[in-house]
Amino acid sequence: MDKNATKIPFLLLFSVFLVATCGLIYELIAGTLASYLMGDSISQFSIIIGLYLFSMGIGSFCSKYFDENLLDWFIQIELLVGLVGGITSSILFIIFNSVESFQWILYGLISLTGIFVGLEIPLLMQILNQSNFGFKDIISKVFTFDYVGALLASILFPLVFMPKMGLIRTSFFFGILNTLVALLVLYHYSKELKYRTTLWLQAFFVFILLTLGFIFSDKILSWAEASTYDEKIIFAKTSPYQRIVLTRQDNNIKLFLNRNLQFSSFDEYRYHEALIHPLMTFTKNPEKILVLGGGDGMAVRELLKYTSIKSITLIDLDADMTNLFRKNEMLTRLNQNALNNIKVKVLNQDAFLWIKQNKILFDAIVIDFPDPNNFALGKLYSNTFYRELTHTLAPEGFIVVQSTSPFMAPKSYWCVNKTLQSVGFKTLPYHVYVPSFGDWGYVLASKQAFISRNVFQRNLRFMNDETFKQSQFFPKDMAQRATEINKLNNQILVQYFEEEWAKVM
Amino acid sequence: MGKSDVDKISRKEFLELSGLALVGSTLGLQSLVSCESEKIHGKVVGANHAIGHLVKKAISLPIFQSKKTQVLIIGSGISGLVAGYYLQKAGITDYEILELENHIGGNATFGEDAVGRYPWAAHYLPIPSPENKILIDFLAENKIITGFDANGLPIYDEYSLCFHPEERLFVKGYWQEGLIPNLDISEEDKTQIEQFLAKMELFKHARGNDGKWAFTIPLAYSSADNAFTNFDKLTMKEWLAKEGFTSKALLWYINYCVLDDYGTPLSEVSAWAGIHYFASRKGNAANAKGNDVLTWSEGNGFLMKLLAKNQLKNIKTQRLVYQIEEKSDSVLVDVFDWKNEKRETYTANQVIWAIPQMLRPYLMPKQASEFVKRFSYSPWIVANLETKPFDSGRGQALSWDNVIYEGEGLGYILANHQNVNQGQKTWQLTYYKPLVREMPVEERKKAIEKTHENWLSEIIADLKKAHPKIEEAILKMDVKIWGHAMIRPTVGFIHGRERQMAQQSLNEKIHFAHSDLSGVSIFEEAFYHGYETAKKIIKNYANSNVDTLAKI
Ligand SMILES: Cc1cc2nc3c(=O)[nH]c(=O)nc-3n(C[C@H](O)[C@H](O)[C@H](O)COP(=O)(O)OP(=O)(O)OC[C@H]3O[C@@H](n4cnc5c(N)ncnc54)[C@H](O)[C@@H]3O)c2cc1C
């Protein structure tokens, strides 16, 4: 080593350190985001790390094509790293809702960051090399700072930045750091730079953009739905009718429609057994069954346990939903491939319109619509709709209606009961506890008396005579109360539902 | 009528005939303007100059065909269709209905496309009062009333009763429930509104010294007691001032109401008509509130179809009636089939005039009809917009009727409100606006000159007050100009001589039925006059045959 060699300027070494820290942070953010949004963290992390390192390799390789104005390039790339790294997570969060090829955009952005970061260190080494510094010194110092930066990043990210700032803000924060370094270098070496004006302008632009992003990151997050789920999203699609999201935590799969939980694989058997089997004990000889809603096929799975059933017609508006539960292997495992059974006919039609024109009589009707949280859905709980059902139900037939929670929304629940009675049905209200939902209610309805005609199947996990008997008892806090009848021209149920859930949410 | 008759029409008369151009109706075929702006497509269908040319053409042609019919009904609006409906019910099938347009229904016409149906003008019918027996019977015959409960209250078809939420008003950035302003108003406003409504409630239950309701529908059943009819001598504005009503919010609301039903502002509408709006409706039902309304996606087009469905073969469209002449034992009616460019002449025993009175001097120039000058009509525009779903604003959810406080127009109704299916991806909005800035004649002129783009930007500007982003959501907008949309119940008109004179049949041969005879342009009045003329005809037609009369 040349004793006279000038000391390597601290500023440049500090930039190495920061570039390394930021680079690793971007990688960690990308990995976290990928596993968070797409599930399967092991493969996502390993793909991201591999891709990132490989892209850095590409960057390093390309560095040899840079010969002139190295310092200009260095600043330029520093700014690009800051910009791309800083906004990547916001972009990914926002487009996740709407883009089909989400993964490829993710991988593209990661590669871009990797390439830029990969360019930085070799460029810096070249700059130093052109000056009078000893080669050994360069190598040792640069890599020391590089690895120290990496260590710092990997410790601070999970301990400080993720919990304190969250993904989006952290990205912006490091983007800003990157830009600040670029600004410092710019300032310090301003005279030696050829494209100084352009670089100043760029630097300011990037700085302002990222600072705004940092300030408004909460807003960005609220646009981006992904942050509202506690678990990892493994599937998301916007069908013409609703937003379908599947999440997974360990072995528990949850389905959300428009952000409302539809089932959790961990306890859905309770919900679906309670929905189907009491109905089946009353229906004398169930052959033809109609299911309205329930595109996940779980209710059909329970129905298929009855050999007497000859045909099941399932009406669900959303073809995306029924296709998903017909084709996705993980989901067909959950519904035991029910929707592909030859006894099952799936019609993707509007339930109200279908019922209005239908002429076929069914022995039992299962109604599993989403809760009445808007006026469109409220129509499916109206006396008019129930009256139409009377033309679809065989005289001996029975109906079951999922009727929201009698604990959280007692008026809503009893309103469904009353509305069914108002069109001439006898009803039998009951409720069960489903841990992920809470106390959940159903109403059985029929023109017939409720005389048990069949026994509960033996192989059920939850429902039996005892449980069903208990479930018909309503403690004081959810006991029957007076309500109006839900009609198309009062939509009183939606009003009750909003009032009651507003209280508990 | 021979070929020489052509010459009988003098140049002056011809010019008068051209006055037909002022008919509020529109020729579907020859829409006046049909321009497409760059972003939002659509067309303007409007008051047409073409009719003058049609008449000119007609009188230049030889008579192609002479026809005979017992009864000829001119106009297929609600009044004409009702007349036919009851003739047919009484077993009279030898009648024809002639309609100028290429479609039936007049002010109850509707549009239809892939997305759905939407009204072009009349869009609702309030639940009728029990006194309106014929209308209640009609509704029951057509399953809009599905039965009667133990107390005799009608049970209405639930698909026809307006779904909830019904009405909302946009005030200061927020949609409140109902149209009576209640948001952010002073105590004084509140008190005055209450007092006004209480007063109207009194009028609603008031009876005259002849024992009749002071205000009711059909208007003809109302009391002749001076105590009430005197209200026809001053404007609603004057009456409100006299009563000490000064609240801005209240006056806005009342003005909104009279514009909505009469297309006539407070400053011109008579106080009798103004009070009638609030006090005449006494509807009741087993399954609805007294002030609920019946509505369908095609508006009153739904009722119109019910009226027309059994008499379609009696209706001829694209027929302009341009001259009516009374003979000793019949009526001669000259008709131009403008589609096929053929001139026809009808000899009818009796004629029902179910078109506006203002046409009398043109079609029956020999008859004295000075009184027709008192018939004044307000121009309207109706726009139908197709939109993508848009942010419908804070407060009450998107409703059937959506009104903007101090807006330019009367707001919009959601034509697809009565659909029961989920996930509507296209919305249909029907926007209403009476043209009342200047007098009707000026407004009519201005309206005809406007382009699609003019209307579009005007309407968007109005809607933007409540929906800043609506422009991006609009897929298409069609506009219709109704040159003579509604009769104006100005001071002295309803209880004046002229309106009475206009209702007199001519020698028991020509009977008058259009809703303008009431001075109030609503479905019930068109229905009433259609029914009354049918009754007269039936009486004349088979004077001896009591059975026929008993049937209806
Ligand atoms: C914008 C608007 C909104 C309205 N909204 C409502 C509402 O919500 N509820 C309500 O009750 N009422 C409403 N109305 C009032 C409506 O006018 C009446 O309800 C009713 O439809 C009137 O029927 P009619 O038969 O009296 O007249 P019209 O509907 O005027 O019928 C007259 C018919 O005669 C035809 N005709 C005219 N001249 C000739 C000729 N020379 N030869 C042959 N045919 C001819 C016309 O084309 C037309 O079809 C509205 C009106 C308008 C304009």
Side-chain angles (χ1 to χ4, degrees):
Chain A
M1 191 159 79
D2 188 345
K3 274 208 173 144
N4 294 330
T6 341
K7 259 185 117 190
I8 299 179
F10 178 73
L11 179 60
L12 290 182
L13 285 178
F14 182 65
S15 3
V16 172
F17 167 72
L18 263 180
V19 168
T21 318
C22 295
L24 199 77
I25 293 273
Y26 298 143
E27 183 186 338
L28 290 170
I29 289 174
T32 315
L33 208 78
S35 50
Y36 174 66
L37 293 180
M38 301 195 293
D40 193 2
S41 57
I42 296 179
S43 39
Q44 287 307 336
F45 251 105
S46 101
I47 292 173
I48 296 287
I49 291 173
L51 196 65
Y52 189 75
L53 288 176
F54 176 71
S55 309
M56 278 176 69
I58 298 177
S60 306
F61 176 79
C62 294
S63 69
K64 70 174 177 183
Y65 298 107
F66 292 80
D67 296 319
E68 281 163 40
N69 308 320
L70 289 176
L71 214 53
D72 287 85
W73 278 115
F74 177 74
I75 296 170
Q76 174 74 80
I77 286 162
E78 182 91 39
L79 286 172
L80 281 172
V81 176
L83 179 68
V84 177
I87 62 174
T88 294
S89 59
S90 324
I91 293 183
L92 292 177
F93 260 113
I94 291 168
I95 62 165
F96 181 67
N97 280 332
S98 45
V99 171
E100 293 260 323
S101 47
F102 172 78
Q103 307 198 44
W104 300 110
I105 295 177
L106 169 72
Y107 295 153
L109 285 167
I110 289 304
S111 311
L112 211 61
T113 317
I115 292 172
F116 291 145
V117 173
L119 268 168
E120 288 283 76
I121 305 288
L123 270 185
L124 198 75
M125 282 161 75
Q126 276 191 56
I127 293 171
L128 296 174
N129 203 26
Q130 280 173 3
S131 318
N132 234 354
F133 310 122
F135 181 67
K136 269 187 176 167
D137 200 27
I138 294 177
I139 300 278
S140 96
K141 290 231 167 89
V142 166
F143 280 110
T144 311
F145 276 90
D146 187 8
Y147 291 130
V148 171
L151 176 69
L152 203 70
S154 54
I155 292 173
L156 288 181
F157 179 72
L159 295 182
V160 180
F161 289 106
M162 261 306 273
K164 287 263 145 52
M165 284 193 192
L167 277 177
I168 292 194
R169 197 155 259 181
T170 306
S171 312
F172 281 119
F173 179 77
F174 281 92
I176 291 171
L177 273 189
N178 260 157
T179 318
L180 281 177
V181 171
L183 276 166
L184 264 176
V185 178
L186 236 170
Y187 174 73
H188 202 266
Y189 296 99
S190 195
K191 290 196 195 89
E192 296 167 35
L193 297 173
K194 193 164 169 208
Y195 303 105
R196 96 181 64 84
T197 337
T198 334
L199 287 173
W200 273 113
L201 280 174
Q202 280 185 22
F204 273 118
F205 171 74
V206 173
F207 182 76
I208 288 168
L209 188 85
L210 293 177
T211 312
L212 286 177
F214 184 79
I215 297 171
F216 294 112
S217 53
D218 289 341
K219 284 247 164 69
I220 297 175
L221 204 66
S222 67
W223 290 339
E225 148 208 63
S227 57
T228 55
Y229 297 97
D230 293 333
E231 301 87 3
K232 287 165 197 153
I233 295 176
I234 51 174
F235 174 90
K237 181 162 188 187
T238 304
S239 79
Y241 300 100
Q242 55 201 344
R243 178 82 182 146
I244 306 170
V245 171
L246 280 167
T247 69
R248 179 175 197 152
Q249 186 86 300
D250 303 323
N251 273 328
N252 188 15
I253 297 168
K254 288 185 183 171
L255 169 72
F256 295 83
L257 296 180
N258 295 334
R259 302 184 190 201
N260 297 315
L261 179 64
Q262 300 302 303
F263 72 72
S264 166
S265 65
F266 146 80
D267 60 8
E268 59 77 20
Y269 69 92
R270 276 192 163 216
Y271 175 84
H272 289 108
E273 285 188 7
L275 178 70
I276 298 301
H277 300 287
L279 171 75
M280 288 294 119
T281 63
F282 292 112
T283 315
K284 207 189 216 162
N285 183 26
E287 288 187 353
K288 263 206 249 146
I289 316 289
L290 177 66
V291 182
L292 303 175
D296 57 29
M298 311 291 189
V300 176
R301 174 196 67 201
E302 294 303 311
L303 285 168
L304 286 169
K305 293 179 179 165
Y306 294 84
T307 45
S308 71
I309 292 179
K310 294 200 175 119
S311 77
I312 300 171
T313 306
L314 180 123
I315 313 283
D316 193 296
L317 193 58
D318 196 348
D320 281 326
M321 177 79 183
T322 49
N323 284 340
L324 181 67
F325 280 85
R326 248 181 187 158
K327 292 184 184 144
N328 182 303
E329 221 175 285
M330 180 177 70
L331 300 175
T332 52
R333 225 177 294 139
L334 284 183
N335 66 21
Q336 291 170 8
N337 212 10
L339 296 184
N340 292 316
N341 192 293
I342 43 160
K343 291 181 181 171
V344 180
K345 191 163 87 188
V346 175
L347 298 175
N348 294 119
Q349 288 181 29
D350 187 87
F352 209 134
L353 297 182
W354 189 86
I355 287 285
K356 257 184 100 172
Q357 55 77 48
N358 170 57
K359 300 257 160 17
I360 310 162
L361 292 183
F362 292 89
D363 303 319
I365 304 177
V366 178
I367 302 182
D368 195 9
F369 292 134
D371 281 350
N373 59 16
N374 63 45
F375 292 128
L377 285 166
K379 293 174 186 174
L380 295 171
Y381 291 81
S382 63
N383 60 345
T384 309
F385 181 73
Y386 293 148
R387 196 169 296 120
E388 296 287 357
L389 284 184
T390 59
H391 310 306
T392 287
L393 185 69
E396 309 268 273
F398 285 81
I399 300 176
V400 67
V401 184
Q402 95 77 7
S403 317
T404 193
S405 166
F407 176 72
M408 305 280 214
K411 268 190 120 166
S412 310
Y413 176 79
W414 291 107
C415 173
V416 175
N417 182 58
K418 170 135 188 201
T419 306
L420 280 162
Q421 288 175 346
S422 77
V423 302
F425 286 124
K426 296 182 181 73
T427 63
L428 193 154
Y430 65 102
H431 65 111
V432 299
Y433 181 64
V434 183
S436 54
F437 284 179
D439 207 309
W440 215 256
Y442 310 79
V443 181
L444 280 159
S446 177
K447 302 264 170 170
Q448 303 302 318
F450 288 94
I451 301 159
S452 179
R453 294 177 179 86
N454 308 308
V455 288
F456 278 102
Q457 294 199 345
R458 291 277 191 72
N459 55 354
L460 305 181
R461 289 168 72 189
F462 175 63
M463 247 317 149
N464 63 16
D465 266 328
E466 268 303 292
T467 312
F468 185 50
K469 212 167 286 155
Q470 281 172 19
S471 73
Q472 293 168 48
F473 175 74
F474 284 82
K476 253 164 88 180
D477 58 351
M478 38 179 139
Q480 178 153 16
R481 50 209 74 192
T483 71
E484 285 184 51
I485 297 165
N486 186 44
K487 303 177 190 173
L488 293 174
N489 70 343
N490 69 9
Q491 290 267 16
I492 196 75
L493 178 60
V494 174
Q495 194 184 314
Y496 291 152
F497 188 84
E498 271 174 2
E499 283 165 10
E500 294 183 313
W501 282 90
K503 255 185 255 161
V504 291
M505 298 295 260
Chain B
M1 207 150 73
K3 201 180 171 196
S4 61
D5 284 349
V6 174
D7 308 323
K8 277 194 195 160
I9 298 174
S10 68
R11 190 179 140 70
K12 181 174 162 281
E13 280 167 336
F14 170 64
L15 285 178
E16 278 172 351
L17 273 171
S18 309
L20 277 176
L22 295 178
V23 182
S25 52
T26 62
L27 281 182
L29 251 194
Q30 316 193 355
S31 50
L32 175 68
V33 205
S34 174
C35 41
E36 312 232 314
S37 70
E38 267 195 12
K39 279 185 296 178
I40 300 167
H41 294 273
K43 55 181 185 295
V44 183
V45 189
N48 218 298
H49 297 298
I51 298 175
H53 298 290
L54 289 184
V55 177
K56 192 173 169 186
K57 179 140 225 167
I59 56 180
S60 72
L61 292 170
I63 293 167
F64 170 75
Q65 209 174 16
S66 298
K67 293 187 180 176
K68 259 190 146 62
T69 178
Q70 285 289 345
V71 184
L72 191 67
I73 301 174
I74 307 168
S76 74
I78 296 300
S79 56
L81 291 175
V82 167
Y85 182 90
Y86 285 101
L87 287 183
Q88 200 168 66
K89 257 184 99 153
I92 300 173
T93 50
D94 184 14
Y95 70 94
E96 283 195 33
I97 302 182
L98 300 180
E99 167 58 51
L100 167 63
E101 301 282 340
N102 62 358
H103 55 80
I104 59 169
N107 285 350
T109 46
F110 63 95
E112 183 165 19
D113 63 16
V115 181
R117 292 187 277 263
Y118 47 85
W120 266 125
H123 51 293
Y124 70 97
L125 170 66
I127 296 180
S129 319
E131 283 78 19
N132 204 344
K133 268 283 291 160
I134 30 160
L135 184 52
I136 291 196
D137 287 348
F138 166 78
L139 296 175
E141 273 160 35
N142 288 282
K143 306 273 177 333
I144 292 168
I145 291 176
T146 56
F148 294 86
D149 75 356
N151 302 319
L153 292 178
I155 302 166
Y156 283 90
D157 167 48
E158 286 147 359
Y159 296 107
S160 302
L161 284 169
C162 181
F163 295 174
H164 180 83
E166 205 166 310
E167 299 165 327
R168 59 176 193 162
L169 178 67
F170 187 76
V171 194
K172 301 217 174 104
Y174 191 86
W175 289 98
Q176 62 149 74
E177 191 182 349
L179 299 183
I180 303 174
N182 61 29
L183 212 76
D184 200 27
I185 58 171
S186 68
E187 278 310 307
E188 175 61 19
D189 284 326
K190 249 181 229 161
T191 326
Q192 286 201 17
I193 290 174
E194 273 165 31
Q195 284 169 349
F196 174 80
L197 294 177
K199 212 158 208 136
M200 293 302 120
E201 199 57 26
L202 287 180
F203 282 130
K204 194 167 170 176
H205 300 289
R207 286 180 190 268
N209 52 16
D210 47 8
K212 293 180 176 175
W213 289 116
F215 300 92
T216 193
I217 296 173
L219 189 137
Y221 297 173
S222 303
S223 168
D225 188 342
N226 282 341
F228 301 106
T229 57
N230 279 343
F231 290 129
D232 205 34
K233 294 185 176 148
L234 72 173
T235 66
M236 187 66 176
K237 193 174 173 182
E238 288 160 351
W239 182 77
L240 288 167
K242 242 174 74 182
E243 294 289 316
F245 290 115
T246 51
S247 152
K248 198 169 141 240
L250 172 65
L251 295 183
W252 173 85
Y253 171 64
I254 305 171
N255 190 44
Y256 165 83
C257 294
V258 293
L259 285 178
D260 193 41
D261 252 33
Y262 311 138
T264 313
L266 279 187
S267 54
E268 288 179 71
V269 76
S270 91
W272 194 92
I275 298 169
H276 185 265
Y277 175 92
F278 296 95
S280 59
R281 302 213 149 104
K282 308 173 215 296
N284 56 16
N287 59 344
K289 293 189 297 308
N291 54 357
D292 279 348
V293 303
L294 301 162
T295 190
W296 306 267
S297 59
E298 64 272 63
N300 289 3
F302 183 85
L303 298 168
M304 187 272 283
K305 282 189 288 186
L306 291 175
L307 285 165
K309 73 171 190 253
N310 290 331
Q311 48 177 341
L312 290 173
K313 57 178 192 321
N314 300 65
I315 308 175
K316 301 225 154 48
T317 55
Q318 299 161 332
R319 299 295 201 286
L320 167 71
V321 173
Y322 66 90
Q323 178 154 275
I324 301 174
E325 205 174 336
E326 217 194 312
K327 299 276 148 148
S328 57
D329 56 351
S330 64
V331 185
L332 273 186
V333 179
D334 281 344
V335 180
F336 182 47
D337 169 356
W338 53 265
K339 174 82 182 301
N340 302 308
E341 304 213 330
K342 300 240 158 79
R343 188 173 161 193
E344 298 166 341
T345 183
Y346 278 81
T347 309
N349 288 358
Q350 302 197 56
V351 166
I352 294 180
W353 171 286
I355 58 180
Q357 282 292 314
M358 62 168 194
L359 295 173
R360 273 170 89 154
Y362 306 112
L363 301 199
M364 301 191 292
K366 288 178 194 152
Q367 296 279 346
S369 52
E370 267 300 293
F371 53 85
V372 168
K373 291 208 179 97
R374 272 298 263 129
F375 283 70
S376 150
Y377 302 80
S378 69
W380 280 63
I381 57 140
V382 176
N384 270 297
L385 293 86
E386 259 171 38
T387 76
K388 289 180 277 185
F390 54 86
D391 177 5
S392 62
R394 291 191 309 131
Q396 175 160 309
L398 191 62
S399 305
W400 170 65
D401 195 6
N402 306 270
V403 179
I404 299 168
Y405 182 69
E406 294 185 333
E408 275 294 310
L410 299 181
Y412 62 90
I413 61 136
L414 192 65
N416 51 267
H417 185 74
Q418 296 294 100
N419 294 5
V420 290
N421 57 321
Q422 305 289 305
Q424 231 121 39
K425 279 173 292 234
T426 309
W427 292 353
Q428 272 169 322
L429 276 50
T430 310
Y431 175 91
Y432 289 87
K433 182 178 178 179
L435 305 173
V436 291
R437 286 235 153 149
E438 291 173 51
M439 290 313 279
V441 189
E442 279 77 42
E443 286 291 346
R444 231 165 265 143
K445 275 189 207 137
K446 279 199 298 184
I448 290 169
E449 273 153 24
K450 281 188 188 158
T451 63
H452 183 258
E453 232 149 287
N454 295 150
W455 291 120
L456 192 64
S457 57
E458 255 178 50
I459 292 168
I460 287 175
D462 192 21
L463 292 175
K464 260 191 178 166
K465 290 170 198 154
H467 305 297
K469 292 204 174 136
I470 194 157
E471 191 165 1
E472 300 152 30
I474 300 176
L475 301 167
K476 168 181 151 188
M477 185 187 83
D478 292 335
V479 183
K480 193 157 191 149
I481 304 168
W482 295 95
H484 296 76
M486 287 182 181
I487 185 74
R488 291 169 10 110
T490 51
V491 172
F493 182 67
I494 289 181
H495 292 287
R497 261 178 57 246
E498 294 87 349
R499 195 175 69 84
Q500 292 307 325
M501 291 170 75
Q503 293 182 50
Q504 304 305 315
S505 298
L506 301 178
N507 300 318
E508 287 307 312
K509 283 206 280 292
I510 303 176
H511 312 277
F512 298 93
H514 192 267
S515 57
D516 62 354
L517 291 174
S518 288
V520 164
S521 175
I522 51 175
F523 181 88
E524 300 93 311
E525 298 297 336
F527 200 96
Y528 167 78
H529 290 289
Y531 175 78
E532 289 298 318
T533 46
K535 235 167 62 175
K536 283 185 196 167
I537 298 241
I538 294 158
K539 215 164 123 202
N540 296 345
Y541 181 78
N543 224 341
S544 52
N545 189 349
V546 192
D547 284 358
T548 325
L549 207 90
K551 267 196 214 156
I552 73 166

